[in-house]
Amino acid sequence: MIFEPEPLEEPIIKIPLRDCTQIEGAEEKENRNPFVENNVGRFSVKCKQVYLIKEHGIVTPYRIVRGEMDYMFQLDTVVKAADIVQTLLQLHRASCLEKLGDQTAMITAILQSRLARSSFDKNRFQNVSEVPHMECRAEVVAPLVTNPGLVCITDQNLYFQPLNEYPEPVIQIKLHDIRRIYKRRHGLQPLGLEVFCTEDDLCSDIYLKFYKSKERDEIYYYIATFLENHITEHTAESYMLLWQRGHISNYQYLLHLNNLADRSCNDLSQYPVFPWIIADYTSPELDLNNLETFRDVSKAVGALNKERLERLLARYREMPDPKFMFGSHYSSPGYVLFYLMRVAPEYMLCVHNGKYDNADRMFNSIAETWKNCLVGATDFKELIPEFFGNDCSFLRNNMKLEFGKRQGGKMVDDVELPPWASDADDFLQKNRDALESQYVSEHLHEWIDLIFGYKQRGSEAVAAHNVFHPLTYEGGVDLDSIQDTNEKVAMLTQILEFGQTPKQLFTTPHPQRITPKFQSMSRTTSYSTSVTEPGSPSEESFEDLTEESRKLAWSNISKLKMGCQHKIHKEAVTSITVSSNGSSIFTTSLDSTLKMFSKESNALQRSMSFSNMPLSSCLMLPGDTTVVCSSWDNHIYFYSVAYGRRQDILMGHDDAVSKICWRDNRLYTASWDSTVKIWTCNPSAPSGTKRSNFELLVELELEAGVNAISLNPAGTMLVSGTKEGTVNIWDIDASKTLYQIECQSDIINDIAFSPDSRHVLTAGNDGFLKLIDVQTGMLVSSLPSGEEQRCFVWDGNTILSGSKSGDLLVWDLIAGKITDRIKGHSGAVTCMWMNEQGSTLITGGEDKQIIFWNPIY
C-alpha cells in the first residue's frame, strides 16, 4: 500500500502488506448525514516496517523504518472505508501466501471481481451522438506497472477508464488521430495492443493489455477498418521498400522494425533495440570515412571478439541440448535501466529493491561500456534508440543524484564521453551521422538479418554465432502446457527478466539499401545503349535530358488522355513495337498477322501473315530494317521492312514461342516447352539462308511453360515467369539460376526489371502485382487489384498496368495502392509500349484496337 502526501518534501510511504499486523476501519461518526462535510471514512493500518521514498522530494535509495507503527488514514472521497478495508484484507491474505503462483492467482481473482462489478461511465463520452461499439476489461501498460480498467470504443473515440481513476478519470483518443496500431505480445501472450497518433515517435499514446485475445483482435480490426479509409497500413516489406529506396532513414526504419517485432518503450522486457555502430571511442576526431571507425554489424556483439567467441563455442559444443552460445541477452530490462538510470532512477530503485547498483557497475563511460561489451564474459548488450535521438538527458546527471563513489573516490555523475564529442548533444549528433553514413547504409541489412531476420534462428543462427537461451525466443516455451501455477509464474518471471528476442520479421536474406553511390552507377548502365565513351559530354547531356523527360512523364502519368484509336486486327493484339523515329508501329495479333501502321499518314500500310497460327510477340532490331515475330507454331520469323517480305525463319522450340527479347546481337526466346533459349546472330552469313544466321548458345530449362521474359538494362540478368506462377532470375553469363520464387498463384502475364535492376515486377491472372528484390530473391510486396493484370510499364516507383476490364491502373508502389484508374479499351488491355522518354504510350487490347495516349503536362 502506497501513500503519496501532497507536500513534496514529505516522503512517500510504502507499506508492504505482508508486514501489516492489523487493518481495520475506524468507528463511524454518529452523524450519518451524507451532506455533512466531516462525515468521511477512516481506517487504520498497523505494520512492522515501512519504506520511505523520495524524502525531501529527492530521488534517493529507500529508507527502511522498522518497528511497530500505526497509521490512520482519512478518506476525502465518496469511497467507503469499509470497501477499502475489505480489499486491503483480501490483498493482505494473498501477500501472506508462501508461493508466488498462489499469490498471483488470488490477486487476479480479486481484480477480476472488482472489474466485473464495474461498468464504463458513458457520461464521459465527448459527444452525445457517439455510438458505442464494444466495452471490455483491460490494463494500460507502462514500464514496471499495469493499470486495470475498462476499454470502450465508439464510432469516434477510444476510451480507457482506470479502475482507480488514476492518473485521470478517463483517457480519450480520437480515432481520426490514430496513425499506427500494432498487436503486441505481452507476457508471451497475444494480448497487447499499442496505439500511436504520430508517424515516427518512439513512444505510443496508449498500450493496452487485454484479458482475452478475441477482445483485443476485435478492437484491433475495428480500428484497422476505420483507418483503411484514412492511412496506409505498412508491413515489414513495405517499410523495407521505403527504406531501400531512401524514403525513410536508417533510424526510422529500425524504429518501424522494432515496432513490428513487438518492441515497445512501455515494456522493458521488449524495449526497442538498436546496434552499436561506432567502434572508436578513443580518437580525438571521428572519421566516418574510415572503415575502422565502425563496428562489424554483420556479427552479433558476442561474436566481435574472436578469443571470447572461441571460449564460448568450446562451452557450446560440450553443452547438452538445448544448447546456447550466450548466457545473457543483448536486450533486457536490466540493460535498459542501466542506460536510463539518470532519467529513470525510480525504475532502477524499484528493480533493485530500493537501492542503486554498485557505482562501478553503473553506466559511467561510453568507452568503458563498449570495451566491456567486447571483453566481458557475460556482457553482449546492444544499444537503445535514445543513443540516436535528440534528448541527451540520459547522459547527464541533471537531477544531481547521488549514485555513489567509484573505486578511486570519484563520484558517479555525467556519462564520460569519447574525446571526439564536445558535449552530449554532439555525441548524439555524431552517433546519428554514423548511423546514416554510407558504410552503415550499405551494411545495416546484415545486422537486421541477425536481430529480425533469417539469421535469428535455426542453422543460420548457429553459423552466424547468434544463438541465445531457448527461453528468449518466441514460442521457446508453451506456458499454457505448464499446469503448476507456481512453476508457470516462475518461468514467466525468468523470461521477462532475462530478455526476449524480437519477433522474426524476415525468413530470407534482407536486401541491401540502394545507396546514392549505387544509384549513380546503375543509372549509367541502365539506359546507355550508345557506344561512345562513358562520361562524354554528348552522352551525359542526352541521358540527363532523357532522365528529366522520363521524370516529367511519370509524375503526370495519371493525366493520360486517350488519343486516336484504330481497329486494325481481327483478334486481340498481342504485342507492339515501334521504329526508332516513332513513325511506324508494328503489331502482332491472335489473328496470325503482323501489321504495320503509319503514324504520319494515320493509316494501316502493311499486313503480313507467316502461318495460320497466332503471333505472340514482336520487336524491332537496331537499324529499323528487321522486325522479329514469335509464333504459336514454334517458329520465330524475321520480316524485312525494306523489302516487305519474310527474310528468315528460325525453328526455335517444341511448343509455342511466347516472348522474345534482343540485346547485343543476341536473341532470347521463351516457350511453353519450358525452356528459354539464347541465340547469337552471325551477321556474316548470307541473308537468304535460313537458320544459318543464328546459332544456339544456351538453353535454360524450367519446370513449366514460360509465358514472359525480360532482360535487365545491363543485359547481365534475365527473369522468366511461368504458367504456374514461378519466377526465375538468371545470371546470363553463368547460365545459372540465381533465385527461384513461387510468386503468383496463376499464370504470369508480364514481367520486367526496374530501371536500376534492383527489383523485378510481375503481373498475373491472380490479380496481383508482385515485387521481388533481385539481390536476395525476397518477395517484398504484393499489390492486389481484384482483377487480372495483363501487362504493365513502370519506372521503379510508379506502375501503369493494363487490366482485364480494359482500364489502365496507376499504382504508387511505395504506398502500395492504386491511385488512379483511366478508362481505356472495351476489352482487356493485352499489351503496351512506352518509349524511353515516357512521352509516347500505345496500348493494344482484346477489342482488336490500338490506342495512342497523349501525356498532359
Side-chain angles (χ1 to χ4, degrees):
M1 189 176 76
I2 297 172
F3 175 72
E4 186 173 359
E6 286 186 358
L8 293 178
E9 64 275 8
E10 293 293 323
I12 296 169
I13 300 169
K14 179 178 177 180
I15 306 173
L17 289 172
R18 184 187 278 263
D19 293 327
C20 292
T21 56
Q22 182 178 301
I23 301 171
E24 61 180 9
E27 290 183 4
E28 295 185 4
K29 295 188 177 293
E30 291 182 7
N31 184 358
R32 297 180 179 276
N33 189 336
F35 298 102
V36 177
E37 273 190 13
N38 63 0
N39 183 21
V40 291
R42 292 187 297 166
F43 66 94
S44 66
V45 175
K46 290 182 180 180
C47 57
K48 294 181 289 186
Q49 71 171 8
V50 299
Y51 294 90
L52 301 182
I53 303 172
K54 290 185 77 170
E55 291 187 275
H56 311 295
I58 301 169
V59 179
T60 58
Y62 302 169
R63 183 162 70 89
I64 303 174
V65 180
R66 294 183 174 88
E68 291 293 333
M69 282 160 279
D70 192 350
Y71 289 94
M72 178 69 74
F73 295 98
Q74 183 169 298
L75 303 175
D76 59 359
T77 69
V78 293
V79 179
K80 293 180 181 178
D83 294 339
I84 298 251
V85 169
Q86 182 183 1
T87 302
L88 284 172
L89 287 172
Q90 290 174 331
L91 294 171
H92 176 258
R93 284 196 296 275
S95 70
C96 292
L97 296 172
E98 289 186 11
K99 295 181 178 180
L100 187 59
D102 296 337
Q103 288 184 25
T104 304
M106 186 170 179
I107 291 168
T108 301
I110 295 167
L111 173 60
Q112 292 302 321
S113 175
R114 285 194 63 195
L115 286 170
R117 297 194 303 271
S118 306
S119 61
F120 186 85
D121 182 4
K122 292 183 174 54
N123 291 320
R124 300 288 184 184
F125 283 177
Q126 292 295 302
N127 193 319
V128 291
S129 64
E130 280 188 71
V131 180
H133 173 69
M134 72 172 288
E135 178 184 325
C136 62
R137 309 167 197 171
E139 299 174 8
V140 163
V141 178
L144 302 181
V145 68
T146 58
N147 195 8
L150 298 166
V151 167
C152 182
I153 189 165
T154 72
D155 59 336
Q156 298 176 31
N157 294 287
L158 172 67
Y159 295 98
F160 179 78
Q161 179 180 291
L163 197 59
N164 52 17
E165 297 191 356
Y166 181 85
E168 48 191 316
V170 71
I171 298 168
Q172 175 217 350
I173 294 176
K174 293 180 180 178
L175 297 185
H176 272 288
D177 291 341
I178 296 174
R179 290 294 170 267
R180 295 178 287 143
I181 53 171
Y182 299 97
K183 290 181 179 180
R184 293 273 184 250
R185 280 181 303 160
H186 187 272
L188 299 188
Q189 295 179 302
L191 299 172
L193 182 68
E194 194 160 21
V195 178
F196 292 79
C197 292
T198 56
E199 200 55 56
D200 295 314
D201 275 7
L202 182 59
C203 297
S204 63
D205 290 80
I206 194 168
Y207 185 156
L208 295 168
K209 175 209 165 185
F210 295 81
Y211 298 111
K212 297 176 181 177
S213 58
K214 183 180 178 182
E215 292 175 340
R216 188 276 305 265
D217 292 344
E218 185 172 347
I219 286 190
Y220 172 86
Y221 288 119
Y222 184 83
I223 298 175
T225 303
F226 181 89
L227 296 182
E228 273 181 6
N229 302 319
H230 303 87
I231 63 171
T232 302
E233 182 183 1
H234 284 290
T235 61
E237 288 76 18
S238 64
Y239 278 126
M240 187 259 286
L241 195 60
L242 286 168
W243 169 77
Q244 195 185 20
R245 293 179 171 272
H247 294 278
I248 57 176
S249 66
N250 293 340
Y251 174 79
Q252 290 172 313
Y253 185 45
L254 290 178
L255 270 189
H256 289 310
L257 291 184
N258 272 284
N259 267 320
L260 290 167
D262 282 341
R263 314 302 283 189
S264 167
C265 291
N266 290 305
D267 186 349
L268 296 183
S269 68
Q270 297 190 93
Y271 204 81
V273 56
F274 269 61
W276 284 96
I277 294 296
I278 298 170
D280 177 7
Y281 295 100
T282 56
S283 299
E285 298 291 332
L286 186 67
D287 184 4
L288 295 182
N289 294 316
N290 182 1
L291 297 185
E292 298 299 316
T293 299
F294 298 96
R295 165 256 179 112
D296 185 350
V297 290
S298 70
K299 296 178 180 178
V301 170
L304 292 173
N305 182 331
K306 189 176 180 181
E307 292 180 5
R308 179 178 65 175
L309 178 61
E310 287 175 355
R311 292 195 301 271
L312 292 167
L313 290 177
R315 186 191 67 172
Y316 171 77
R317 285 189 285 267
E318 296 171 2
M319 189 182 294
D321 289 335
K323 295 182 176 186
F324 55 88
M325 295 175 187
F326 309 119
S328 61
H329 206 255
Y330 51 78
S331 176
S332 69
Y335 289 158
V336 174
L337 296 180
F338 169 86
Y339 289 129
L340 299 180
M341 53 178 261
R342 289 168 178 81
V343 289
E346 295 99 330
Y347 293 166
M348 175 175 272
L349 291 171
C350 185
V351 168
H352 289 99
N353 295 317
K355 300 175 183 177
Y356 288 131
D357 199 0
N358 180 285
D360 286 297
R361 289 198 298 266
M362 288 187 173
F363 181 32
N364 294 303
S365 157
I366 302 290
E368 281 182 17
T369 303
W370 168 244
K371 182 180 178 182
N372 202 55
C373 288
L374 289 180
V375 301
T378 60
D379 193 349
F380 314 110
K381 61 179 171 286
E382 293 277 13
L383 298 182
I384 55 176
E386 282 78 358
F387 278 82
F388 306 93
N390 296 304
D391 184 359
C392 64
S393 57
F394 76 103
L395 299 170
R396 293 173 173 162
N397 187 13
N398 292 330
M399 289 189 270
K400 302 302 176 189
L401 302 170
E402 295 184 7
F403 291 112
K405 286 185 180 179
R406 303 185 63 187
Q407 288 182 3
K410 188 176 182 181
M411 295 294 293
V412 175
D413 197 25
D414 292 348
V415 176
E416 293 176 20
L417 302 172
W420 45 257
S422 58
D423 56 24
D425 286 315
D426 185 49
F427 172 76
L428 292 189
Q429 181 60 55
K430 286 174 175 169
N431 240 15
R432 288 195 296 273
D433 292 343
L435 179 62
E436 304 300 335
S437 67
Q438 178 86 15
Y439 172 82
V440 175
S441 292
E442 290 175 351
H443 293 276
L444 187 60
H445 64 285
E446 297 174 310
W447 185 81
I448 292 170
D449 283 336
L450 295 169
I451 307 302
F452 304 104
Y454 82 111
K455 291 183 179 178
Q456 187 195 91
R457 296 169 177 242
S459 59
E460 294 288 354
V462 175
H465 304 133
N466 191 40
V467 182
F468 295 86
H469 195 284
L471 290 181
T472 67
Y473 296 94
E474 183 178 20
V477 61
D478 182 8
L479 286 177
D480 294 332
S481 67
I482 302 175
Q483 300 299 320
D484 186 279
T485 309
N486 297 296
E487 184 184 346
K488 182 183 291 188
V489 170
M491 180 74 74
L492 179 59
T493 303
Q494 180 184 350
I495 291 167
L496 297 182
E497 290 180 357
F498 190 87
Q500 295 177 64
T501 300
K503 179 192 291 182
Q504 190 175 25
L505 300 178
F506 306 103
T507 55
T508 56
H510 191 287
Q512 188 178 12
R513 192 174 199 188
I514 305 172
T515 61
K517 181 176 73 175
F518 189 96
Q519 283 182 322
S520 61
M521 287 169 57
S522 64
R523 190 177 298 122
T524 345
T525 58
S526 290
Y527 303 108
S528 175
T529 55
S530 169
V531 292
T532 57
E533 279 294 310
S536 66
S538 60
E539 183 184 357
E540 285 185 3
S541 58
F542 172 76
E543 288 204 357
D544 288 344
L545 187 64
T546 302
E547 183 70 20
E548 288 305 312
S549 172
R550 184 185 299 111
K551 286 181 179 178
L552 181 64
W554 278 102
S555 64
N556 292 278
I557 199 72
S558 60
K559 299 177 184 176
L560 283 172
K561 295 296 181 185
M562 188 185 297
C564 54
Q565 312 171 46
H566 301 279
K567 190 173 182 179
I568 60 175
H569 282 282
K570 296 177 181 179
E571 297 291 343
V573 183
T574 56
S575 184
I576 301 169
T577 190
V578 180
S579 60
S580 57
N581 62 6
S583 62
S584 298
I585 294 90
F586 294 85
T587 62
T588 55
S589 168
L590 294 181
D591 65 9
S592 77
T593 62
L594 169 68
K595 305 276 188 178
M596 178 178 170
F597 184 88
S598 172
K599 192 174 182 183
E600 293 175 352
S601 61
N602 208 28
L604 182 65
Q605 288 192 326
R606 299 182 192 174
S607 178
M608 295 70 66
S609 182
F610 305 119
S611 76
N612 58 0
M613 297 287 281
L615 297 179
S616 57
S617 179
C618 64
L619 58 84
M620 175 74 75
L621 294 188
D624 289 354
T625 59
T626 304
V627 176
V628 187
C629 303
S630 60
S631 172
W632 283 12
D633 68 3
N634 313 352
H635 292 73
I636 297 102
Y637 296 95
F638 297 81
Y639 174 79
S640 170
V641 178
Y643 293 103
R645 61 179 174 82
R646 189 187 76 196
Q647 70 179 38
D648 210 346
I649 183 171
L650 180 64
M651 174 64 184
H653 289 270
D654 297 327
D655 202 341
V657 184
S658 54
K659 187 70 184 285
I660 52 176
C661 297
W662 178 271
R663 173 64 55 85
D664 298 332
N665 263 0
R666 288 184 178 182
L667 178 67
Y668 300 79
T669 62
S671 170
W672 294 350
D673 66 6
S674 305
T675 66
V676 174
K677 294 183 180 181
I678 305 175
W679 311 79
T680 183
C681 178
N682 180 11
S684 62
S687 60
T689 58
K690 297 185 179 182
R691 289 195 293 263
S692 58
N693 282 6
F694 286 89
E695 178 186 345
L696 181 62
L697 280 183
V698 179
E699 181 174 326
L700 308 175
E701 295 186 358
L702 294 98
E703 297 172 1
V706 185
N707 207 51
I709 56 169
S710 177
L711 295 167
N712 72 326
T716 56
M717 288 184 288
L718 179 143
V719 64
S720 59
T722 71
K723 287 184 168 187
E724 294 181 355
T726 303
V727 169
N728 286 73
I729 301 174
W730 303 84
D731 179 328
I732 293 176
D733 292 335
S735 301
K736 69 174 184 180
T737 303
L738 298 176
Y739 295 103
Q740 179 172 307
I741 306 105
E742 300 302 323
C743 185
Q744 312 222 208
S745 61
D746 204 338
I747 297 172
I748 293 176
N749 291 319
D750 202 359
I751 196 164
F753 282 93
S754 58
D756 60 10
S757 300
R758 297 301 293 262
H759 294 98
V760 164
L761 186 70
T762 69
N765 273 6
D766 58 7
F768 283 86
L769 297 183
K770 300 287 183 82
L771 187 73
I772 298 167
D773 179 79
V774 172
Q775 183 190 32
T776 61
M778 179 190 287
L779 189 62
V780 296
S781 190
S782 182
L783 311 175
S785 68
E787 61 176 322
E788 287 180 27
Q789 297 301 304
R790 296 289 185 88
C791 53
F792 65 85
V793 288
W794 71 316
D795 70 341
N797 294 308
T798 306
I799 305 161
L800 182 70
S801 70
S803 64
K804 186 178 180 180
S805 64
D807 294 345
L808 301 183
L809 307 183
V810 181
W811 303 73
D812 182 336
L813 184 58
I814 301 301
K817 63 181 181 181
I818 298 168
T819 56
D820 283 287
R821 183 180 286 267
I822 305 167
K823 289 294 181 185
H825 292 264
S826 58
V829 184
T830 51
C831 54
M832 55 176 61
W833 178 91
M834 179 183 278
N835 67 342
E836 192 176 347
Q837 293 78 16
S839 57
T840 303
L841 177 72
I842 307 170
T843 60
E846 280 186 350
D847 57 5
K848 310 160 192 174
Q849 294 192 107
I850 57 170
I851 298 177
F852 291 82
W853 297 86
N854 300 320
I856 306 295
Y857 300 134

